[in-house]
Amino acid sequence: MSRVLVIGCGGVANVAIRKCCSVSSVFSELMIASRTKEKCDVLAEELRKTSTTKIETAKVDADSKDELVKLINSYKPDLVMNIALPYQDLTIMDACLECKVNYMDTANYEPEDTDDPEWRKIYEKRCKEEGFSAYFDYSWQWAYKKKFEDAGLIALLGSGFDPGVTQAYVAYAKKHEFDTIDTIDILDCNGGDHGYKFATNFNPEVNLREVSAPGSYWEDGHWIEIPAMSIKREYDFDQVGMKDMYLLHHEEIESIAKNLPEVKRIRFFMTFGQSYLDHMRCLEDVGMLSTTPVMFDGKEIVPIKFLKALLPDPASLGPRTHGKTNIGCIFTGKKDGKDKTYYIYNVCDHQECYREVKSQAISYTTGVPAMCGALMLLTGKWNTLGVHTIEELDPDPFIEALDKYGLPKSESHNPVLVK
Ligand code: NDP
């Protein structure tokens, strides 16, 4: 029995909330709060017909700590699930600390305004010192570690698929398959087709910022940064087939490198079709991916926000997306003195997801781990105080929950390696 406050009611939150409401014995009371309350009301209305979870809704601006504190103090949840945008991570963490409530999210902090001079100073110093230039990094949230410990609270960071399940796969490989891990390749393949020439599968602003940034990987204790999309490989994915994939910077590389310092190389690859890449390059060349406001017809607009308004809403892709995703990790390392390879992954079918929760597999593969992460915290399976990423925690109950709630693992002990 628990009381949970979910912030955000977009594509990922929709799946997570539906899944929470299917486990009413744990998620007995739930409040859905977001910027647009109408979306929360529509979902609550639908779920009240089938779930015994007691659902309430509220309007909140999660950029305002005062509004959050007021809402949290009035609802008194056991856990706040932040499934809004990464821009809100720090305000929600601050509000949780003030109200003494556990916190979790699905993506690490990045600022909405990357032109803010104060943020930029810290960012530029970090680029020089660390050697990667993505707008997001864990330092902002890791800085809360002691505050959460002292308050007797837990903050679970990045409980989606990647980050999230991929880090549980790393912990699982380390616990059950290897004495030492030498290399990790994280492979994220979306073999789905939605029929549009260009659309993003989750929030377009966050997605396009991520994939248009320089790529980077971890090797021998430091970052190696490369121009965006400049390392390409082909891989034959189980149940999907042969796909082109490109090396990207990705947030879990940073935390895995910190928590498993033995690993010599960590890379992240994501598949993209040619049409997606051509459109993205063109949009970038004409400045449409910029986050810097420009004046248009006497009004200030942010190009990437305007683009978001033109693109299909990711939540609308569900009924038209066919095909499968395949996301997982390939490891090399040693067990009992012998070289070993291992691949653990999940295959998820877009149409099956749609039939179950009215969403495509990208929101599904993020929303289910968000629910499972919350389940770990609410049932006390993960109870170490402080700020944690998932490779730090026991992977077994989490992977068991994923198996049960829709994202079963597949394994291979003789995988084709990525060159
Ligand atoms: P959406 O844009 O679909 O949804 C975001 C939701 O947050 C919307 O309901 C939006 O409200 C709400 N929101 C935005 N700003 C505020 C605010 N200031 N106050 C209150 N509510 C706000 O995004 P997604 O569902 O696609 O993504 C959700 C999160 O999941 C993101 O952080 C994303 O990075 C992460 N993610 C993680 C993945 C992983 O594998 N770990 C993969 C994919 C996504 P409104 O309806 O008014 O716009």
Side-chain angles (χ1 to χ4, degrees):
M1 302 275 279
S2 60
R3 228 170 141 77
V4 172
L5 169 63
V6 180
I7 299 178
C9 192
V12 175
N14 253 269
V15 176
I17 292 164
R18 283 170 194 275
K19 285 293 201 179
C20 292
C21 289
S22 72
V23 192
S24 301
S25 54
V26 177
F27 297 87
S28 42
E29 294 179 46
L30 193 106
M31 173 171 279
I32 315 170
S34 190
R35 184 168 54 188
T36 313
K37 183 171 175 289
E38 294 69 33
K39 291 188 192 171
C40 311
D41 290 334
V42 170
L43 181 61
E45 191 58 33
E46 185 193 330
L47 290 172
R48 281 187 194 114
K49 292 179 192 141
T50 52
S51 169
T52 56
T53 300
K54 187 169 171 245
I55 310 167
E56 293 172 63
T57 62
K59 178 175 170 58
V60 73
D61 175 2
D63 289 319
S64 157
K65 186 181 135 192
D66 290 348
E67 274 194 34
L68 287 164
V69 166
K70 217 165 129 197
L71 178 67
I72 297 171
N73 277 336
S74 70
Y75 188 64
K76 301 202 183 335
D78 303 303
L79 170 70
V80 172
M81 295 174 73
N82 166 16
I83 321 183
L85 297 177
Y87 313 146
Q88 282 88 44
D89 288 3
L90 302 185
T91 359
I92 302 177
M93 287 176 88
D94 283 330
C96 284
L97 275 172
E98 188 163 328
C99 303
K100 300 235 173 308
V101 184
N102 290 328
Y103 166 91
M104 62 166 284
D105 64 33
T106 60
N108 71 5
Y109 172 71
E110 67 180 273
E112 185 158 18
D113 176 11
T114 52
D115 292 327
D116 172 19
E118 244 174 73
W119 174 83
R120 216 140 187 118
K121 221 167 42 192
I122 300 168
Y123 164 74
E124 277 161 14
K125 184 166 173 275
R126 189 267 284 161
C127 289
K128 261 196 217 133
E129 283 173 5
E130 298 287 331
F132 69 93
S133 56
Y135 287 146
F136 50 86
D137 73 80
Y138 277 113
S139 64
W140 299 90
Q141 291 178 280
W142 281 339
Y144 284 70
K145 189 173 175 3
K146 189 156 177 350
K147 286 188 203 164
F148 270 78
E149 275 167 8
D150 291 350
L153 296 172
I154 305 174
L156 175 65
L157 307 185
S159 193
F161 207 107
D162 44 343
V165 179
T166 49
Q167 288 144 297
Y169 285 167
V170 169
Y172 185 87
K174 177 73 188 165
K175 185 172 175 183
H176 298 289
E177 299 286 336
F178 291 94
D179 295 325
T180 50
I181 297 175
D182 293 331
T183 69
I184 305 174
D185 280 331
I186 304 167
L187 270 48
D188 179 333
C189 163
N190 179 9
D193 182 7
H194 44 56
Y196 287 117
K197 286 207 165 69
F198 187 74
T200 64
N201 292 300
F202 70 96
N203 183 282
E205 198 180 326
V206 177
N207 184 216
L208 289 167
R209 274 192 189 197
E210 173 181 288
V211 301
S212 58
S216 59
Y217 60 100
W218 183 257
E219 193 164 57
D220 296 329
H222 64 273
W223 289 96
I224 297 179
E225 188 158 83
I226 53 153
M229 305 292 170
S230 60
I231 294 186
K232 176 185 169 187
R233 299 283 186 270
E234 277 193 327
Y235 199 81
D236 193 2
F237 288 92
D238 181 25
Q239 298 182 52
V240 175
M242 196 61 96
K243 290 277 169 195
D244 291 340
M245 59 183 193
Y246 297 82
L247 188 143
L248 296 187
H249 175 83
H250 222 248
E251 63 200 71
E252 64 266 51
I253 302 176
E254 191 189 0
S255 70
I256 297 168
K258 175 172 176 257
N259 290 312
L260 281 88
E262 76 202 38
V263 184
K264 295 189 184 78
R265 191 187 67 200
I266 312 168
R267 302 183 296 185
F268 181 98
F269 291 91
M270 191 178 273
T271 61
F272 294 101
Q274 200 51 49
S275 171
Y276 183 96
L277 293 179
D278 291 345
H279 280 79
M280 196 183 76
R281 226 163 258 151
C282 174
L283 290 166
E284 187 169 28
D285 287 347
V286 298
M288 283 302 286
L289 302 190
S290 169
T291 54
T292 304
V294 292
M295 291 307 288
F296 177 76
D297 259 0
K299 267 201 192 119
E300 200 180 77
I301 59 164
V302 176
I304 198 165
K305 284 191 190 293
F306 178 64
L307 174 64
K308 181 183 177 215
L310 297 176
L311 290 175
D313 178 355
S316 71
L317 300 178
R320 38 187 304 148
T321 308
H322 295 261
K324 291 179 182 179
T325 60
N326 177 327
I327 319 174
C329 304
I330 301 178
F331 302 90
T332 67
K334 290 189 182 52
K335 180 79 177 172
D336 301 329
K338 290 198 186 106
D339 286 341
K340 181 174 177 181
T341 60
Y342 176 63
Y343 187 12
I344 175 167
Y345 58 95
N346 164 263
V347 176
C348 191
D349 184 292
H350 285 285
Q351 281 297 300
E352 276 175 24
C353 295
Y354 187 69
R355 279 192 288 277
E356 187 192 331
V357 295
K358 297 191 180 165
S359 152
Q360 30 79 1
I362 305 300
S363 300
Y364 190 91
T365 53
T366 312
V368 172
M371 181 281 267
C372 293
L375 195 68
M376 295 301 104
L377 299 180
L378 294 168
T379 56
K381 299 243 165 60
W382 288 348
N383 55 16
T384 317
L385 303 182
V387 176
H388 300 288
T389 45
I390 289 185
E391 72 280 346
E392 294 175 68
L393 303 162
D394 182 4
D396 292 349
F398 185 60
I399 288 182
E400 222 171 84
L402 293 166
D403 280 345
K404 180 169 172 189
Y405 293 111
L407 297 174
K409 65 176 184 308
S410 296
E411 293 168 286
S412 160
H413 285 87
N414 187 24
V416 174
L417 300 181
V418 181
K419 290 196 189 76

